[in-house]
Amino acid sequence: MIGVIDTDGERAEWAFPAEPGAVRTARHAVRGTLRDWGLEAVGDVTVLLVSELVTNSLRYASGPIGVRLVRQVPAASGPAGGAALLVEVSDPLPDPPRERVAKADDEGGRGLHLVAVSSQRWGTRHGKSGKTVWFELALPGE
């Protein structure tokens, strides 16, 4: 079951149980919101990166997984001053993820690398209970 924490015109936030279907449900929720906001141009990359981060949360954490989208206006976005989409994935595990170099025959280990090379900025931060991995994507034409 998906729990919608908050949605409005510039922000959407959900909490997903740490269950195998969470990745699929998160993808659908994110894609639907981006479609509603007219941001289909960043839909595929956003859904891919959310899938990777939610999968990491499922693999290592046992509590709920939070996903938040924020459509940032130019004055509030990064140093370039353009509009951006901020995406955050949170879980109760306090340990920050580590980017690693996957070997050619490894089945995993590429998620954070994908985040790093696909986003304009990314990072992690500690919260009251757990951590948040975030990334920012430039919004074309805004």
Side-chain angles (χ1 to χ4, degrees), residues 18 29 34 47 51 55 68 84 98 105 123 127 135 139:
L34 293 177
V47 168
S51 294
T55 298
R68 185 168 94 125
R98 292 182 311 217
D105 57 346
F135 63 88
L139 294 178

Side-chain angles (χ1 to χ4, degrees), residues 38-70:
L39 298 178
E40 293 93 344
V42 295
D44 289 342
V45 68
T46 304
V47 168
L48 171 66
L49 300 181
V50 166
S51 294
E52 292 294 336
L53 294 178
V54 171
T55 298
N56 283 350
S57 291
L58 278 173
R59 182 171 290 146
Y60 301 109
S62 60
I65 300 164
V67 176
R68 185 168 94 125
L69 306 178
V70 179

